[in-house]
Each structure stands twice: as C-alpha cells, then as structure tokens.
C-alpha cells in the first residue's frame, strides 16, 4: 500500500471507508462482503463452538497511520470500546516523524508442561529426562511431521524439581517452535503423546500435559521515537516519562497501564481470529515475572530530548490454525495487514500496543483521558438514552461540548429536542 496516513478517515461513511481499505488491500468481493456483514453464517458458527444459538457482533475498525519497519500498514481492530481505534491511529500518527515502529522478535517457541508426580527420586528423574532429551524430542516430533516440515518442532527439553504442598514434583518443559501456528493444539498433542514414555523412564505418574500461556520464549518487541515537537513539547515528554516510571514500580498503576496496551493488542488478536485469552494471560503473567507485576512498556528521553517508547510482550498468535483460517473476517484482516507469518503478526501486536499506550499516556499526562474518550463514548450514551438516527450525533456533540456526558443529560436533551 502507498500510505497508511489517511487523514480524517473517520469523516467518511463506513461503506466509503471499506471501499478505500478494499482498494488498498486488494480485497475480493467476498472478502468485502465478509467484513461488511460480520462474515459468519449461523451454519459456520455452529461448526466453531458448541450449542450455537446465534452470533454476537463486534465492530471492526481500521487504525490508520502505522509505519512498521518502514512498511505502511492499515490495522484491523475488533473492539467494543470507543476511542481505542482513534487513540491507536493518533499514537501511530505521532510516531511517523520519528520513523514509525521498529520491531524485533524471538523464535516462535511455546512451552508445554508435563507434571510428573509420585517419583521416589525426583532429582534422579530430572537427570534421566535431561539425559534422554533427544529421544523425547524425536518422539514428540513424530506427532507433528507437518510442523517439522515447516521448520518447526522441538527445540529443547527442560526439567525442574518443584516443591509443592503435595510434595515434590518433576515438571518437564517441552519447548516447541510452532512456526506460524499459535501452537496450543500442536504442543498439547505432543505432551499427551509423551506422557507414557515419561512415566516409563521416571517411574512416576503424569497428570497435567498442557501448554503454558506464559510464552516467555516467544516475544515481540517494538520501539518508537516520538519527537518532542510533534507531541506537544518537553513538558509532555516529561509527563509521559513520569507516568511510565510509576507503572514500572506500582502494580496498581501497572495494571491499568497494561490494560491500555491490551486495548490495542487484544483488538488485533480478535480481528485476526486469534485466542484473546491466551494473549491476555501471556501478557499479564509476563508482566508479573520475577514476582513483581510491572508495565510491559517503558518511556525514556533520548539525547535530543525526544521520547523513546519500547515494549516487549509474549506474542502467542498464529496465521494458521485455530479460527484464523476458518473465520472469513480473520482471513480478510490478515490480508489487510499484508502479512503471512505469525512472526509478522507478533510485531504488529507490539507496535499497536505501544501506539495505544503512548496515546493514552499522552492524554493522561496532559488534558486527562475524559475529553477524548468520553466525547467518542458520548454516542453510546446517547443511544442508551434512546436517541435514534441523526439525534445520536447531535446529542453526543451537545454533551461533549457541555462536558456533561451521562444518560440523564442525554434524556433531558432528547426531551427538549423532540
Ligand atoms: C481520542 C483522541 C484520539 C482524540 O484526539 P484529538 O486530540 O481530539 O485528536 P485530533 O483531532 O488532533 O486527531 C489526531 C488523530 O487521532 C485520530 N482520531 C481522532 N479522532 C478520531 C476519530 N473520531 N476516529 C478515528 N480516529 C480519530 C486520527 O488519526 C487523527 O488524525 P487525522 O486523521 O485527523 O489526521 C485522543 O484524545 C487520544 O488518543 N486519547 C486516548 C484515548 C484512549 O486511550 N482511549 C482508550 C480507552 S481509555 C482506557 O481504557 C485506557 C487507559 C487510559 O486507562 C490506559 C491508561 O490508563 O494508561
Ligand atoms: N491454553 C491455551 O492457550 C489453549 C488454547 N487452545 C486453542 O488452540 C488453538 C491453537 O492451536 P494450534 O496448534 O495453533 O492450532 P491447530 O492445531 O489448528 O494448527 C496447528 C497445526 O497447523 C499445521 N500447520 C500448517 N502450516 C503450518 C505452519 N506454517 N506453521 C505451523 N503449523 C502449520 C501444523 O500441523 P498439522 O497440519 O499436522 O495440524 C500444526 O500442528 C487455538 O484455537 C486456541 O484457542 C487449545 C487448548 C489450550
């Protein structure tokens, strides 16, 4: 695509916006229709989960202005929360003059846990497991030749003895490169298949055989420079850094700071048909590693007085498997992003998380969150009060101008206007 810098996309109608996105991402008629209608038929939904009775629609929006590793990218985001997509676009807009987002990542390695109990000699069993790790890896790889053929498969075996209130246990970690899959089904299958062999060589009894959502070996990182003159000057730079400093040490603040990051990360995860619970569990457990919960991002000042933001978070997402290829809108979202690999998707998540976080911190460090957020939320409030058609924008803008955004006020304005 030529540029993601689309000023005022919000002032177009939804169908004109979709036309623009379809042109720039070269979407087919079917893909456009899927996005417009929500994509899923009841019949398709009935094949995805159990006891289906209907569909639950969530808005899909497009965040503009992103440059990631020099590439212009439009970002599909599925979210019910107003101001999230606007804020991501706003953050990305302010990152452009510093060069946009620069990313990096680790190999896409997930862990499966195998819990071995009832071992007489847990330390000895641990050593047996480590000594036979090549054999364990080979047996696991036999379960997923397709993954191995894509360059993935087991990359390591770890084993630890842990002391619990039910006595000592040996915990085996199977480290698996999942390539473009999120990998839960793949690694769970391997872990279950290995259980009898692990029991045989340790003399213990295996209970849990399951992926760990603390995906600390599958990390995505993003960094961006926000020029001081672009974001409102030195005072704003310092305000954002002060906000960051608090979130680095105070779990009460860090929880909300990270919620702000996940506003963006989860919305892209959802739009691409990935597992939002897995990505949330990964982010928050990674934020709590070492026992202290802290922020996933940090903001600092560089030598030129500009703001430098950086973020690192687990990115357990796929571009194959799960619902990613089943849900028509998820497939279209990947096409809009212009990516094919899970690694690329992880880098997008980190960039969106950082843009989202920066926009929120800038608002918090200056005018406060309510003006930007509540003026966009005002439309929901107007609808809740019973506004219809043109009344919605009218009541919403009146409430925003008065800075009195609540359902009672919306009802009063409706009564007066009708
Ligand atoms: C809300 C804005 C963006 C308004 O921002 P503004 O200052 O009114 O912006 P503007 O009119 O100068 O527009 C700047 C750019 O923002 C985007 N933008 C602007 N308006 C729209 C819109 N209607 N629809 C789509 N995009 C919009 C758009 O890209 C636009 O550029 P343009 O296209 O005009 O060249 C700003 O105040 C902001 O970024 N606020 C942060 C809001 C936020 O973080 N919301 C998340 C919900 S609050 C929360 O859950 C998290 C939190 C806050 O608790 C986290 C934390 O505590 O850390
Ligand atoms: N705790 C958790 O997070 C849990 C999550 N889940 C769910 O698991 C699902 C994700 O599991 P996942 O294993 O990704 O899904 P799938 O099993 O659907 O997909 C993975 C499979 O795709 C095949 N594949 C084809 N091309 C590639 C490629 N390029 N790279 C990698 N694999 C490829 C592989 O082999 P093959 O073709 O042989 O299948 C691989 O095993 C999600 O729906 C998630 O919600 C499930 C349990 C627990």
């Amino acid at each position: 695509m030529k540029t993601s810098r689309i000023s005022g996309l919000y002032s177009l109608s939804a169908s004109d916006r979709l036309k623009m996105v379809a042109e720039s991402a070269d979407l087919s008629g079917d893909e456009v229709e899927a996005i417009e209608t929500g994509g899923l038929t009841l019949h398709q939904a009935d094949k995805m989960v159990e006891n289906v009775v209907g569909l639950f629609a969530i808005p899909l929006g497009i965040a503009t202005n992103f440059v990631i590793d020099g590439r212009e990218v439009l970002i599909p985001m599925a979210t019910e929360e107003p101001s999230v997509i606007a804020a991501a676009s706003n953050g990305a807009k302010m990152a452009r003059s510093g060069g946009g987002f620069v990313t990096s990542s680790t190999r896409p390695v997930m862990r499966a846990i195998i819990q071995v109990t009832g071992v007489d000699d847990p330390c000895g069993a641990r050593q047996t497991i480590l000594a036979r790790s090549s054999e364990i890896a080979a047996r696991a790889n036999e379960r997923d030749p397709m993954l191995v053929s894509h360059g993935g498969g087991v990359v390591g075996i770890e084993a630890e003895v842990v002391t619990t209130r039910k006595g000592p246990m040996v915990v085996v970690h199977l480290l698996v490169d999942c390539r473009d899959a999120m990998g839960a089904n793949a690694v769970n299958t391997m872990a279950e298949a290995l259980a009898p062999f692990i029991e045989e060589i340790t003399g213990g009894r295996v209970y849990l055989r399951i992926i760990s959502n603390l995906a600390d070996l599958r990390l995505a990182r993003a960094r961006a420079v926000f020029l001081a003159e672009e974001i409102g000057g030195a005072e704003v730079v310092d305000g954002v850094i002060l906000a960051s400093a608090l979130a680095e040490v105070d779990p009460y603040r860090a929880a909300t700071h990270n919620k702000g990051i996940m506003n963006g990360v989860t919305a892209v995860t959802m739009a691409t048909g990935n597992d939002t619970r897995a990505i949330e569990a990964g982010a928050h457990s990674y934020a709590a590693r070492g026992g202290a919960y802290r922020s996933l991002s940090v903001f600092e000042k560089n030598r030129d007085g500009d703001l430098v933001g950086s973020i690192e978070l687990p990115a357990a997402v796929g571009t194959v498997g799960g619902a990613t290829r089943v849900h028509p809108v998820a497939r279209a979202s990947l096409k809009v992003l212009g990516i094919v690999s899970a690694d690329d998707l992880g880098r997008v998540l980190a960039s969106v998380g950082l843009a989202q976080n920066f926009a929120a911190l800038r608002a918090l460090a200056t005018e406060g969150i309510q003006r930007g957020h509540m003026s966009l939320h005002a439309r929901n409030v107007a609808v809740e009060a019973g506004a219809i058609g043109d009344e919605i924008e009218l009541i919403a803008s009146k409430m925003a101008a008065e800075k009195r955004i609540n359902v009672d006020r919306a009802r009063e304005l409706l009564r007066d206007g009708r």
Side-chain angles (χ1 to χ4, degrees), residues 144 146-147 150 178-186 211 213 275 321-322:
D144 205 333
M146 173 67 101
L147 184 59
H150 279 91
C178 296
R179 295 287 92 197
D180 293 317
M182 179 271 183
N185 290 328
I211 194 166
N213 287 108
D275 184 333

Side-chain angles (χ1 to χ4, degrees), residues 48 50 110-112 140 143-145 147 174 176-178 180-194 209-213 218 273-275 277-278 316-318 320-324 326:
M48 288 177 72
E50 308 73 38
M110 299 295 293
R111 291 172 189 267
R143 304 304 301 194
D144 205 333
L147 184 59
L174 186 64
V176 185
D177 181 329
C178 296
D180 293 317
M182 179 271 183
N185 290 328
V187 303
N188 292 346
T189 304
M190 288 178 171
E192 289 193 2
L194 283 176
R209 295 138 291 162
I210 190 75
I211 194 166
S212 168
N213 287 108
R218 191 177 194 170
N274 273 286
D275 184 333
R277 289 79 55 214
V317 282
V320 299
T324 58
V326 175

Side-chain angles (χ1 to χ4, degrees), residues 5-11 17 62-65 81-94 243 247 253-261 263 355-364 367-376 379:
R5 174 80 194 100
I6 308 174
S7 185
L9 185 67
Y10 47 88
S11 49
R17 283 182 210 129
I62 295 287
T64 52
N65 306 327
E81 189 175 4
S83 89
V84 164
I85 298 165
S89 307
N90 193 24
K93 181 183 174 187
M94 287 183 273
R253 175 54 205 153
T256 312
H257 179 105
N258 289 341
K259 187 275 181 186
I261 291 171
N263 276 341
Q356 197 76 57
N357 183 218
F358 165 69
L361 295 190
R362 178 175 179 270
L364 290 170
E367 61 178 354
I369 200 73
Q370 292 303 69
R371 199 268 313 160
H373 175 67
M374 286 306 282
S375 55
L376 292 171
R379 293 181 296 189

Side-chain angles (χ1 to χ4, degrees), residues 242-253:
L242 286 171
S244 172
L246 182 59
E248 287 155 36
V249 295
D250 177 355
Y252 290 98
R253 175 54 205 153

Side-chain angles (χ1 to χ4, degrees), residues 78-294:
T79 181
E80 89 302 341
E81 189 175 4
S83 89
V84 164
I85 298 165
S89 307
N90 193 24
K93 181 183 174 187
M94 287 183 273
R96 289 180 75 90
S97 46
F101 299 88
V102 178
T103 70
S104 63
S105 62
T106 61
R107 234 175 131 168
V109 174
M110 299 295 293
R111 291 172 189 267
I113 288 176
I114 302 173
Q115 176 198 32
V116 194
T117 63
V119 186
D120 295 330
D121 57 338
C123 294
R126 173 181 171 270
Q127 292 213 0
T128 304
I129 288 161
L130 294 176
R132 300 187 69 171
S133 57
S134 307
E135 204 178 337
I136 295 171
R139 282 170 180 262
N141 281 339
E142 273 169 23
R143 304 304 301 194
D144 205 333
M146 173 67 101
L147 184 59
V148 176
S149 75
H150 279 91
V154 177
V155 297
I157 307 286
E158 293 175 353
E160 290 304 330
V161 177
V162 296
T163 307
T164 77
R165 66 185 171 83
K166 299 296 282 179
M169 296 174 190
V170 183
V171 180
V172 184
H173 283 193
L174 186 64
L175 312 183
V176 185
D177 181 329
C178 296
R179 295 287 92 197
D180 293 317
M182 179 271 183
N185 290 328
V187 303
N188 292 346
T189 304
M190 288 178 171
E192 289 193 2
L194 283 176
F197 182 63
I198 300 283
E199 286 182 341
E200 185 191 313
I201 62 175
T202 59
R205 167 89 198 268
V206 168
Y207 280 89
L208 303 182
R209 295 138 291 162
I210 190 75
I211 194 166
S212 168
N213 287 108
L214 173 48
D216 58 353
L217 296 176
R218 191 177 194 170
L219 301 174
R221 308 181 194 95
R223 178 180 172 279
V225 177
F226 301 90
L227 302 184
E229 69 200 34
E230 178 78 41
I231 66 173
E235 209 177 318
V236 178
V237 171
D238 290 338
V240 172
I241 292 171
L242 286 171
S244 172
L246 182 59
E248 287 155 36
V249 295
D250 177 355
Y252 290 98
R253 175 54 205 153
T256 312
H257 179 105
N258 289 341
K259 187 275 181 186
I261 291 171
M262 299 312 285
N263 276 341
V265 173
T266 304
V268 180
T269 303
M270 177 77 93
T272 54
N274 273 286
D275 184 333
T276 53
R277 289 79 55 214
I279 209 79
E280 291 276 354
H284 294 296
S285 54
Y286 191 64
R289 68 196 184 285
Y293 185 89
R294 55 185 181 265

